[in-house]
Every structure is written in C-alpha cells, then in structure tokens.
C-alpha cells in the first residue's frame, strides 16, 4: 500500500501541483513571518545591548504614587545625588543623563528623522565615552550642537554648518560643533540624535538642575551587582531605584520581543487564513482524485486491502505532498523574510545591521504546518475512499450522496448559520470590551454555517445567472449545468474565494464608515480654522500659543494645556483653555447648563459628569500638582468625542499650579479663514518649523485617513495571499474537472462543439463559480462590517454605516477576473483534447 501511494503521487504530479503551490504559499507566509520577526528582534536586541556597554548601574527617579489628594510626581535626580553615586565604593564614574524630543531639519527643510525617532540628549563633559567623536569637538554653550554621523550624512550637514532644529516648538539654529557615532537602536533604525552640553539640555528639556538618569560605571574588579548593592546603601530607596546594565539590556530585549510578538501574531493570523483557504483546495483535490480512482480503490478492496489501508494510502499521498510543500515553503519563506526586512526601507524605516535569523523552531514549524494541514485536509477524502465497496470495481460510477446525507448537511448548516447570526446580533448590544469575544465566535459560526450551506445556495444563485449565460448559446448552458452538477465541489471552490472577500469587504466597510464619522466629528466639533501641534504629538512650548495669538489676522486662539489633578481621590487630567476664546473655536453640543469657561467655572464632558454624578451647578474640589486646591463649579455638561473631551477650565486658573506648563495643541481662528496663504503666514511666523504641524479640519481628517489607508492597504496585501491561494484552487478544480470529463468533452467535440466553444464553456463555468463566491463574500463582509460598526457607534456618536458601492463593485469585478484568469490554462487544455482519444478514455 505504501508503494501504491507513492506511485499515485508520481502518477498525478500535474494534478497535485496546484495543491503543493497552495500549501507552499501558506507555509511560506508562516516561515517568512517567523524569519522576519526573529531577524528584526535579534537585530534590535543586539543593537540595544551595545547601548548599555557604558552602563553598569542606572539610577532612576522613583515615581511617588498619587495618594488621597496628592498628585503623583517623579522625584528629582539632583547634582547632590550624582555626587553621592560617583563616590560610592566600586564606582569609577557617574554620568548625568538628560533626554527628550528633538526634531532636526535637513537642508531641504524636512525632518531628518522619523516623527517618533527624533531624539535629543546631553554630551557629558569634553569627552563622553557613550558617543565617540569622529569630527569636531564637544558642544560649548547653547549655540552649539552635535549630530550622529548617520543623520549628518542624511541631512547633508558638516562641522561648522548652522543646524535648524526644534525641541518643543520654537526654532533653534545652533552651529554643528561635531559629529559622533552611536549604537543607539533608534538611530540605527533611521532616527536622529542631537546632543547639547548638559546645562543647555537641562534647560531645553525642562530639567533645570536635574537629570533623567544617572549612569554609573564600575571600577575594575567590581561587578554590577556589587556596585548596585553599594548604591542601594548610599541612596534613598524612596526617591530612586537602581538597575544593573545587564538587567536593562534584558528588559529592553523583552520589550522588543513583546513588541514584535504583536506583529508576529497578526501576520500569523493572515498566514492561518491563507492556510485555511488552502485546506479547501487540498480537500477538493483529494476528493476528486478519490472519485477518479473509484474502480482502482474498489479493486484494491476486492483483492484484500482493508479500509484502514485504503485510508492510510491516501494519507501517505498527503504526507508526501505536504513534505514537498513544507520544504519549498520554508525556502520561499526565507526569501520573504529577507524581502520584508528590505521593504521596511520603502516605508522610511530601517533595521539595525544583523544576520538573517532562521531558527530551528522556524524550520520545525514550517514542515509541521505543511504536513499537518495537508494530512488533515485529506483525512475526510481518505475516509470516503475507504467506504468504496469492492463491487464498485464492476462499475465506473460510485454511489452519490444520499438524500438523507444532504438533508443532514443542510440542517446542520442552517443551525450553525442561525447560531452565528444570533450570537453576532447579541454581541452588537453588549459593551464594546465584552462583545469582542462573542462577536468573533458568532462570525466563525456563521462562516462555517454558510460554508456547509454553500451547496444548497449554489443552485438558486447560479440559476439566477441563467438569463445572462443564455446569450452564450450552448457554451453558456453547459457551463451552468457543469457548475451545479457537483454542488459540493462548486461550494468548496467558491468558499475559498468567499473567505478572502468576506474579510476584505468587512474591513473596507468599517474603514469607510470610520472615516466618514471622523470627518463629521471634525467638522461638527471644531470651529477653529487650524489646530497646531508637534509632529510627534509631544507637548508644545507655551511660547507657540503666545506667538500665534500675536499674529495679524488671528481673531481667536486657545491652547489646550493638560495637567494632572486629584478629584475625589481619583486622578483626573484638566485641560486649561483660553476661557474667552474657546467657545468661538469649538462647536460642542451642550447637554445642560452653558458652555462657560471663566474663573472657577468649568465645563465637563458627559462621561466624566456621569462618572462623578455632576450636573450643571455641581461643585467639586480639584487638588493640583503643587499641593494647592481650588473649588470649581460645573457651568455646563457637553458631549465629548475622541478629538475634544475632559474637564476644561481657564488656563489662568490652571497655569499658576503647574511646574512646567506645556500645550498638547493650540486652536486658531483667523479673519480670512482657512487658506493656503493663511497657513503660509502661520508657518512663517513659527519659523518654518518642520517639527510643528499646522492642520485645518480637512488636514486632521486626511491625517487619520492616511493612517486608515496605510493599514487597509497592508491588510489588503496580507489578505491577497488568501485570494492567490483561492485562485490556485479554482485552477486546480477546473483542471481536474477537465481531466475527469475528458470523455464527455471528447463526445461534445465529436458532435460538433468547436474548440472555441469548449474554451468558452470552461471559462464561463469558472466565471460563474468565482462570482458565486464573490457574492457570498461581499454579502457576509457587509454584515460583519455593519455588526462591528454597531459596537463602534456606542463610542463614536457620529458613526454611521457607509457602504462603499464602488469598491464592492471592484471586488465583484475582481472575483470575475479571478474566474477568467484561472480558467485560461484549463480551458486551453480542454480545447486541445484529442476527441477520439478522449472518447476512449476510462
């Protein structure tokens, strides 16, 4: 039986090729994901570990938790703490570290590093071991700066040039005093690093006279743990915490691994979808092979083969196919992993240098997935093969599915589908957090139910295409009859395409509806012409709001200044605004009271008012970070949204209690309204600063839309793998169907059907099956998009379902195109059959 199984594999090489390709693609996706994530994670871990070479023990400020009415704060690392750390036994040196966001503009005026990877810090003394100089000298005073060598080269700067940069809004123009090298992982990944002398860095990053961290280097012969023990004795435990360099490197490695874990899981989900689609192809292929070998298998049973041996022979064939697909998929996956790493560069990111990582786990996973998926998919056809009675060797036709089995299948499918719809509908009425699990379960049940019912659904839906197919004459009639001749096979072929289009359509419906909701939110909540913020959403200097208010033509402006407070024993963030202008800059629906922000009168969004039990006229006491308290009165309750929410009070009341005032954004209204000329005027007034974003309402929507579009395109690309696998399934089914119907096609040719009509028949059959899968997929996608939108609508009042008719038409056209392209080779093969040889075929 083992030799028989291997002979069958070799005898059906062409018919099994598409199955091998389908499994290979899924395995390649899995292997590529593991290679890519392991490679990137390893590169970042090694790069970050180098960054801790100069740190044996790090001393960091400890956060004093909020208690009662006291606002939590970080303790200060002062020069006195630095001196103590430097003098402990076993310490060779101690370095005070200051860091923060610093955007460097290239000579072209654009950011030299990514929005989130533009960092700044301090250069310690005249020779800092952390940053070896390759040119120039250490920075001396506020007028000089250092740049890392990668950024200097990318931005076109040389020692002596004037550099344009920004820390929190205002543009600075220091001289480039020197260039250094660094092992910083962010710099290796395409970010920038600018260094100032320590006093300048402290002033720029709001750390006057203090440090963010103190790095202590151990003397020769002193271990990191011994040095840490000495520091713990010398420094107050309630104000600082110490960590060894090894522990920092380990923690950083874990953070990198955790961050890559999410990406890995997401990619593996899409790999799983591709493999799931591939199972339909495998099951279809082996089902057809079994059907074509009915007499052969029956003869084996007649000469003494047991049912178990017949099933085992089919599984051995699957094992051989899976092993070949697994090895090929692993090789392709290594190439995909390397390609994905290179692809990061096209998105403006890069990865630290390092080797391609192919772990033993990746090899085992690829082979295991390829073999197990193939064998599981072939198991049911193997069981069916074992049920072939020996007497079937006398006939060329094996018993078809009984009416009882079809009724059982349809009943089971209806129960699954009904349960899925019920669970999804129930989930739409739940809380967003608790509804995710039930909705996922309901979606799976519904997809399974529809898959089981697909043979039943195929007849009426394909029959609906009959009027169109009649226009193609006898070819159209035969194509329709062939499509419904074997409903199970048609269902399995169409279902593979259905799954991919379900996910693509559902994502498109959600993305389009969310974008419309965000557009409405921006237009309904914001009256200001512009919103000004930092490129990376870090805090703005109060100087920016002052400059904007002084520009000619600005009729109203207000900062949105955040500060932590304690109210009723809970932490609440207050938003300081210009009380006289905020009403002109926003258009928020007021539920009760009035939108009045003046003195101790504040406005509160509906959710916080409900949480605290406040109504218009309610009074509460806010405790600020400086330890002082103020009684405030709720003047009004408004309907908040994702753009504007919280407790708003006059910044004249808030600012005196804030140590380092900073604004998250500034809203601006002008006499001339939003226009290119007005935006240029604001940009020039702020020094043409690339670190600052000046956005009108449409820009805000477009910014969010860009994020959605980028994510959607990535998901389309990932789901494209499932569609490609589905295409292979259509090709495979048609090719094997042509082989199976060789005698029939030969007879048709003999009685006058020409080659062109045969090609048309096969193409139309493929088109009908693909459109059937497309209709089911788009229908399910719209339903899932609506259901997910019902949940989002509870959090976003402006949300409403928007059906992307144009895109859905494109998806249906895509399904049809898939059918036409998939039929090219099978149709050509059918037309080239020798009619006499085909008629004689067994």
């Amino acid at each position: 039986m083992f030799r028989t199984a291997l002979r069958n594999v070799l005898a059906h090489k062409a018919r099994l090729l598409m199955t091998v390709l389908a499994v290979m693609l899924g395995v390649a996706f899995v292997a590529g994901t593991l290679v890519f994530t392991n490679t990137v994670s390893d590169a970042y871990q090694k790069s970050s570990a180098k960054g801790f070479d100069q740190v044996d023990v790090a001393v960091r400020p400890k956060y004093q938790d909020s208690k009662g009415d006291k606002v939590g704060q970080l303790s200060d690392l002062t020069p006195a703490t630095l001196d103590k750390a430097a003098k402990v036994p076993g310490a060779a040196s101690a370095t005070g570290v200051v860091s923060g966001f610093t955007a460097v503009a290239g000579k072209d005026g654009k950011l030299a590093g990514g929005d989130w990877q533009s960092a700044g810090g301090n250069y310690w003394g005249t020779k800092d071991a952390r940053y070896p100089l390759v040119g120039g000298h250490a920075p001396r005073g506020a007028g000089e700066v250092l740049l890392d060598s990668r950024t200097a080269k990318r931005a076109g700067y040389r020692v002596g040039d004037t550099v344009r940069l920004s820390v929190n809004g205002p543009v600075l123009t220091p001289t480039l005093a020197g260039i250094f090298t660094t092992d910083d992982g962010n710099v290796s990944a395409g970010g920038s690093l600018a260094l100032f002398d320590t006093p300048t860095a402290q002033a720029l990053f709001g750390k006057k006279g203090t440090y963010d961290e103190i790095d202590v280097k151990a003397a020769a012969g002193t271990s990191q743990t011994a040095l840490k023990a000495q520091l713990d004795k010398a420094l107050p435990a309630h104000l600082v915490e110490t960590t060894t360099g090894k522990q920092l490197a380990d923690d950083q490695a874990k953070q990198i691994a955790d961050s890559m874990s999410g990406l890995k899981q997401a990619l593996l989900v899409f790999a799983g979808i591709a493999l799931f689609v591939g199972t339909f192809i495998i099951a279809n292929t082996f089902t057809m092979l079994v059907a074509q070998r009915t007499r052969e298998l029956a003869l084996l049973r007649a000469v003494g083969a047991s049912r178990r041996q017949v099933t085992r022979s089919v599984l051995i064939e699957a094992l051989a196919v899976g092993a070949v697909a697994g090895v090929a998929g692993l090789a392709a996956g290594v190439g995909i992993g390397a390609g994905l790493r290179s692809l990061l560069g096209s998105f403006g990111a890069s990865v630290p240098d390092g080797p391609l990582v192919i772990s033993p786990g990746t090899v085992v996973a690829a082979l295991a997935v390829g073999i197990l998926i193939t064998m599981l998919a072939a198991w049911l056809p193997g069981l069916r093969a074992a049920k072939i009675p020996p007497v079937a060797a006398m006939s060329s036709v094996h018993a078809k599915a009984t009416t009882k089995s079809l009724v059982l299948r349809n009943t089971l499918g209806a129960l699954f589908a009904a349960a899925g719809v019920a669970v999804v509908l129930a989930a739409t009425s739940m809380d967003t957090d608790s509804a995710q699990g039930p909705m996922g379960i309901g979606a799976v049940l519904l997809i399974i139910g529809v898959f089981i019912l697909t043979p039943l659904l195929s007849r009426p839906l394909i029959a609906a295409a009959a009027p169109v197919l009649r226009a193609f004459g006898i070819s159209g009639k035969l194509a329709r009859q062939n499509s419904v001749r074997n409903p199970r096979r048609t269902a399995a072929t169409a279902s593979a395409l259905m799954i991919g289009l379900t996910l693509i359509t559902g994502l498109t419906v959600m993305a389009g509806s969310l974008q419309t909701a965000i557009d409405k939110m921006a237009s309904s909540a914001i009256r200001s012409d512009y919103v000004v913020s930092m490129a990376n959403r870090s805090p703005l200097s109060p100087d920016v709001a002052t400059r904007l208010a002084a520009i000619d033509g600005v009729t109203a402006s207000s900062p949105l200044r955040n500060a932590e407070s304690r109210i009723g024993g809970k932490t609440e963030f207050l938003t300081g605004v210009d009380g006289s202008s905020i009403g002109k800059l926003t258009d928020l629906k007021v539920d009760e009271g009035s939108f009045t922000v003046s003195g101790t009168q504040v406005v509160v969004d509906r959710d916080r008012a409900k949480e605290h039990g406040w109504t218009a006229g309610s009074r509460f006491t806010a405790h600020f970070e400086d330890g002082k308290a103020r009684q405030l009165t709720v003047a009004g309750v408004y309907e908040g949204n994702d753009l504007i929410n919280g407790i708003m009070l006059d910044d004249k009341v808030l600012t005196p209690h804030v140590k380092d005032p900073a604004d998250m954004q500034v809203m601006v209204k002008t006499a001339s309204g939003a226009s290119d000329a007005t935006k240029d005027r604001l940009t020039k007034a702020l020094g043409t600063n690339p670190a600052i974003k000046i956005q009108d309402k449409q820009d805000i929507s477009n910014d969010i839309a860009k994020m959605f579009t980028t994510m959607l395109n990535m998901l389309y690309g990932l789901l494209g793998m499932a569609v490609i696998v589905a295409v292979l399934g259509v090709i495979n089914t048609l090719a094997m169907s042509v082989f199976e119907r060789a005698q029939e096609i030969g007879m048709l040719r003999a009685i006058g059907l020409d080659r062109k009509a045969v090609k048309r028949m096969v193409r139309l059959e493929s088109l009908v099956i693909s459109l059937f899968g497309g209709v089911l997929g788009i229908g399910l996608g719209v339903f899932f998009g609506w259901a997910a939108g019902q949940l989002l609508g509870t959090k976003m009042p402006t949300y409403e379902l928007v059906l992307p008719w144009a895109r859905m038409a494109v998806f249906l056209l895509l399904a049809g195109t898939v059918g036409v392209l998939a039929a090219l080779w099978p149709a050509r093969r059918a037309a080239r059959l020798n009619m006499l040889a085909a008629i004689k075929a067994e």
Side-chain angles (χ1 to χ4, degrees):
M1 293 303 294
F2 180 76
R3 288 196 299 272
T4 301
L6 292 182
R7 181 188 63 79
N8 283 325
V9 171
L10 296 174
H12 302 132
K13 292 189 293 290
R15 281 180 272 174
L16 290 170
L17 177 61
M18 294 299 170
T19 301
V20 170
L21 285 174
V23 180
M24 185 199 77
L25 283 174
V27 172
F29 207 156
V30 171
T33 295
L34 296 175
V35 169
F36 169 66
T37 52
N38 289 342
T39 296
V40 172
S41 180
D42 181 72
Y44 272 112
Q45 285 175 16
K46 288 180 178 176
S47 178
S48 65
K50 290 180 183 177
F52 294 113
D53 286 348
Q54 299 299 320
V55 183
D56 285 317
V57 179
V59 180
R60 292 174 171 173
K62 183 174 284 187
Y63 185 77
Q64 310 300 309
D65 293 330
S66 301
K67 291 181 180 179
D69 296 330
K70 186 179 179 181
V71 176
Q73 292 181 341
L74 273 176
S75 59
D76 289 330
L77 294 180
T78 63
T81 310
L82 178 67
D83 290 340
K84 280 185 180 180
K87 293 176 182 177
V88 300
S93 63
T95 302
V97 178
V98 184
S99 59
F101 171 75
T102 302
V104 178
K107 289 192 173 181
D108 57 0
K110 297 180 180 178
L111 279 178
D115 292 352
W116 301 92
Q117 297 172 323
S118 301
N122 67 312
Y123 188 87
W124 190 253
T126 57
K127 189 175 181 180
D128 193 329
R130 300 172 298 167
Y131 308 112
L133 289 172
V134 293
H137 57 80
R140 304 163 184 160
E144 293 185 342
V145 69
L146 303 181
L147 287 180
D148 68 88
S149 56
R150 293 177 187 240
T151 300
K153 182 178 180 180
R154 187 166 60 245
Y157 285 124
R158 295 182 179 180
V159 174
D161 288 348
T162 298
V163 180
R164 295 183 70 252
L165 54 85
S166 177
V167 171
N168 59 359
V171 175
L172 306 175
T173 54
T175 300
L176 183 60
I179 297 172
F180 62 92
T181 60
T182 177
D183 293 319
D184 187 295
N186 281 335
V187 173
S188 300
S192 65
L193 180 60
L195 301 177
F196 309 89
D197 68 356
T198 300
T200 301
Q202 289 174 323
L204 289 174
F205 301 133
K207 296 288 182 181
K208 291 182 180 179
T210 63
Y211 308 101
D212 292 309
E213 181 176 307
I214 295 172
D215 292 341
V216 186
K217 188 73 177 168
T222 303
S223 67
Q224 290 186 352
T225 52
L227 179 59
K228 181 181 183 300
Q230 291 295 334
L231 287 166
D232 288 339
K233 289 179 184 177
L235 302 177
H238 67 286
L239 295 178
V240 301
E241 55 187 6
T242 59
T243 312
T244 63
K246 183 181 183 305
Q247 184 62 50
L248 288 173
D250 291 344
D251 291 345
Q252 184 78 1
K254 186 176 183 303
Q255 288 177 12
I256 293 169
D258 289 344
S259 64
M260 293 305 297
S261 176
L263 175 62
K264 182 187 292 186
Q265 289 175 6
L267 291 174
L268 287 176
V269 165
F270 289 98
I273 292 169
L275 286 167
F276 181 60
V277 171
T279 58
F280 291 104
I281 300 172
I282 301 165
N284 237 6
T285 301
F286 279 93
T287 298
M288 295 176 76
L289 285 174
V290 167
Q292 291 167 15
R293 289 160 45 204
T294 297
R295 294 183 68 180
E296 174 190 330
L297 293 172
L299 188 59
L300 287 173
R301 293 275 287 113
V303 298
S306 67
R307 288 189 174 187
R308 183 175 296 177
Q309 285 178 310
V310 171
T311 301
R312 194 181 301 149
S313 71
V314 175
L315 292 178
I316 289 171
E317 289 181 51
L319 173 64
V321 171
V324 171
V327 172
L330 176 62
V334 172
I336 289 173
L340 285 173
R341 176 175 170 172
S342 300
L343 189 64
L344 284 179
S346 65
F347 291 103
S350 58
V351 180
D353 296 332
L356 205 63
V357 178
I358 307 169
S359 67
T362 299
V363 176
V364 171
L367 295 176
V369 166
I371 293 170
L372 288 176
I373 290 292
T374 309
M375 292 186 71
L376 284 173
W379 182 57
L380 280 177
L383 289 180
R384 291 197 193 104
K387 292 180 180 179
I388 297 174
V391 73
M394 307 292 184
S395 171
S396 61
V397 180
H398 178 46
K400 295 182 179 180
T402 63
T403 303
K404 181 180 179 182
S405 70
L406 292 174
V407 170
L408 180 63
R409 177 181 180 129
N410 294 336
T411 302
L412 188 63
L415 290 174
F416 267 99
V421 170
V423 173
V424 169
L425 292 177
T428 59
S429 61
M430 297 180 184
D431 179 71
T432 306
D433 296 329
S434 59
Q436 294 176 5
M439 184 160 289
I441 293 170
V444 170
L445 289 173
L446 179 55
I447 289 176
I448 292 173
V450 171
F451 168 65
I452 296 173
L453 287 172
T454 306
L456 178 66
L457 297 172
S458 65
R459 290 187 178 279
L461 287 178
I462 292 176
V468 178
L469 293 174
R470 285 197 198 101
F472 296 95
I474 190 65
S475 296
K477 182 178 181 180
L478 289 171
R480 184 181 64 81
Q481 291 175 345
N482 289 335
S483 300
V484 296
R485 177 187 296 182
N486 192 328
R488 291 184 176 182
R489 183 187 304 167
T490 297
T493 307
S495 295
L497 192 59
M498 175 193 78
I499 292 170
L501 285 178
T502 295
L503 296 170
I504 289 173
T505 304
L507 289 170
T508 304
V509 170
M510 285 181 59
S513 301
L514 278 171
Q515 184 54 47
T516 302
I518 289 164
D519 288 342
K520 284 187 176 182
M521 187 187 300
S523 60
S524 63
I526 299 175
R527 283 183 183 172
S528 66
D529 295 320
Y530 293 100
V531 175
V532 180
S533 62
M534 291 293 285
N536 72 332
R537 303 300 178 188
S538 62
L540 280 164
S541 166
D543 179 58
V544 174
T546 303
R547 287 194 185 188
L548 288 168
I551 297 173
D552 289 338
V554 172
T555 57
S557 68
S558 173
L560 271 67
R561 184 167 299 166
N562 285 2
E564 190 176 349
S565 72
R566 296 285 289 178
I567 299 172
K570 294 182 179 180
T571 298
E572 287 285 1
F573 282 89
L574 306 174
T575 302
V577 298
D578 186 319
S580 61
S581 300
I582 192 65
K584 303 172 187 176
L585 300 167
T586 58
D587 189 16
L588 299 165
K589 180 184 176 183
V590 178
D591 291 343
E592 54 179 297
S594 62
F595 198 85
T596 303
V597 181
S598 177
T600 58
Q601 289 187 304
V602 303
V603 291
V604 184
D605 71 79
R606 183 194 299 164
D607 290 341
R608 283 174 179 76
K610 183 178 180 180
E611 181 183 346
H612 290 280
W614 296 334
T615 59
S618 297
R619 294 183 178 182
F620 62 89
T621 301
H623 298 266
F624 303 101
E625 65 178 59
D626 63 355
K628 296 182 180 179
R630 194 78 178 265
Q631 190 176 66
L632 305 175
T633 303
V634 178
V637 177
Y638 68 93
E639 185 179 290
N641 54 54
D642 290 340
L643 298 178
I644 302 175
N645 56 57
I647 302 171
M648 293 188 200
L649 74 160
D650 199 306
D651 63 351
K652 294 174 184 175
V653 176
L654 179 65
T655 302
H657 302 288
V658 180
K659 181 181 178 182
D660 295 307
D663 305 325
M664 294 311 297
Q665 56 190 34
V666 180
M667 304 179 79
V668 179
K669 192 170 184 64
T670 62
S672 55
S675 67
D676 290 340
T678 303
K679 189 173 183 177
D680 288 342
R681 191 164 67 251
L682 296 178
T683 300
K684 290 176 181 177
L686 294 176
T688 315
N689 190 340
I692 290 181
K693 282 185 177 180
I694 301 175
Q695 299 176 297
D696 60 20
K697 286 182 278 191
Q698 191 58 50
D699 289 333
I700 293 172
S701 294
N702 291 344
D703 209 20
I704 300 172
K706 183 180 178 182
M707 178 180 66
F708 280 138
T709 302
T710 301
M711 188 180 299
L712 200 60
N713 288 339
M714 288 176 62
L715 294 174
Y716 282 165
L718 294 170
L719 288 171
M721 182 69 74
V723 175
I724 291 172
V725 173
V727 172
L728 292 176
V730 177
I731 295 173
N732 205 28
T733 300
L734 289 172
M736 295 186 73
S737 179
V738 166
F739 178 84
E740 189 178 73
R741 300 190 334 241
Q743 191 175 44
E744 175 187 319
I745 293 170
M747 186 66 72
L748 289 171
R749 292 274 290 113
I751 61 176
L753 196 67
D754 59 19
R755 290 186 173 182
K756 188 179 291 186
V758 170
K759 284 184 179 180
R760 190 183 302 124
M761 175 187 72
V762 176
R763 288 172 186 162
L764 288 173
E765 180 183 347
S766 175
L767 179 64
V768 167
I769 292 173
S770 297
L771 287 176
F772 170 53
V775 169
L776 287 180
I778 291 171
L780 282 174
V782 169
F783 176 71
F784 291 139
W786 167 82
Q790 292 295 107
L791 289 180
L792 291 171
T794 60
K795 296 287 185 180
M796 191 178 289
T798 55
Y799 184 90
E800 64 178 48
L801 180 67
V802 176
L803 295 180
W805 295 106
R807 288 209 176 190
M808 288 194 294
V810 170
F811 296 156
L812 197 59
L813 181 63
L814 174 65
T817 304
V818 163
V820 172
L821 294 177
L824 291 178
W825 177 59
R828 187 167 178 268
R829 184 181 177 188
R832 294 178 66 182
L833 284 175
N834 183 297
M835 67 180 76
L836 294 178
I839 290 172
K840 291 191 297 180
E842 286 289 333

